[in-house]
Amino acid sequence: MGHDHGHSHASAATAGARHRRPLLIAFGLTAAYMLVELTVGLTTGSLALLSDAAHMGTDVLGLGMALAAITLAQASGNPQRTFGTYRLEVLAALANGVLLFAVAGYVLYEAWQRFSSPPDVPGLPMLAVAVVGLIVNLIGFRLLIAGAKESLNVKGAYLEVFADMLGSVGVIVAAIIIFTTGWPYADPIIGAAIGLFILPRTWKAHRAGAADPHGGRPTRG
């Protein structure tokens, strides 16, 4: 059985390692722009941007976990050692999951508060940041297409980036509505929608990591 686990992890290393560089680039771009969205969201008071920054946080987590799985599978030839490092990966995933739940809860609470008295959010800066965020997601999406066909780890990260593209489109729609009509409720509505979108995805990842003794990582790729 130990030999089979060792062989499967070696296969994962071979499949995933070929796409480690695109994963690393997508991880860096997403993490950097998450900070941009967070900064502009705090500056402009846009809840939709803050929600999308949190959504990008789920992408950073997914990309980081895929990179960690590939790196650990490459570095650890001993199946028992691999099992131990994967357990550490599980704990990191669960901790990040709790953090993301807290962020999503804050976004939903803030959206509820803003429905009674929505602040004035400038539509143009919000639109510019959201458009660039969509471009970043498209770059990450393009980088991971080839790897998603060969590695389940890369495919998981690819699906995370695809889901975040939907969030970016939502922020763009809210920004256009605010810029053209001045309707302030577009921002908290889209913010709440993205917050709700984060919750089930985070819960699914949280449960998968807790249930899988190998850290929720697929045995192939």
Side-chain angles (χ1 to χ4, degrees):
M1 183 65 70
H3 174 75
D4 290 340
H5 281 306
H7 180 73
S8 66
H9 290 316
S11 299
T14 302
R18 288 195 295 269
H19 304 286
R20 189 173 184 275
R21 186 170 179 270
L23 261 176
L24 192 59
I25 294 171
F27 175 83
L29 283 173
T30 306
Y33 209 73
M34 176 190 70
L35 295 176
V36 172
E37 284 203 333
L38 180 63
T39 301
V40 178
L42 290 171
T43 302
T44 62
S46 171
L47 188 62
L49 277 179
L50 291 175
S51 299
D52 199 46
H55 198 191
M56 275 192 159
T58 66
D59 293 351
V60 172
L61 174 60
L63 291 162
M65 294 296 286
L67 279 168
I70 291 169
T71 302
L72 291 171
Q74 283 183 281
S76 183
N78 184 323
Q80 291 183 347
R81 183 183 170 195
T82 303
F83 178 81
T85 50
Y86 271 53
R87 293 303 294 173
L88 290 176
E89 187 184 345
V90 173
L91 293 176
L94 295 180
N96 278 289
V98 170
L99 177 61
L100 288 171
F101 270 121
V103 169
Y106 166 77
V107 166
L108 292 174
Y109 172 78
E110 188 66 21
W112 176 259
Q113 294 291 105
R114 291 187 181 202
F115 280 128
S116 60
S117 180
D120 291 327
V121 176
L124 195 56
M126 182 179 170
L127 179 61
V129 172
V131 167
V132 177
L134 179 60
I135 292 170
V136 168
N137 285 322
L138 287 170
I139 292 171
F141 186 77
R142 182 68 184 86
L143 284 169
L144 301 178
I145 284 179
K149 298 175 182 177
E150 297 183 17
S151 167
L152 291 180
N153 278 320
V154 179
K155 184 176 181 180
Y158 165 87
L159 293 174
E160 290 283 344
V161 172
F162 176 77
D164 193 50
M165 286 169 59
L166 301 178
S168 294
V169 170
V171 179
I172 290 172
V173 170
I176 290 174
I177 292 172
I178 292 172
F179 183 66
T180 56
T181 69
W183 193 54
Y185 292 96
D187 182 64
I189 287 173
I190 294 297
I194 296 173
L196 287 171
F197 190 47
I198 293 171
L199 285 173
R201 294 173 61 221
T202 304
W203 175 247
K204 183 178 178 181
H206 190 86
R207 287 188 63 187
D212 190 342
H214 294 287
R217 295 290 104 193
T219 56
R220 172 180 154 266

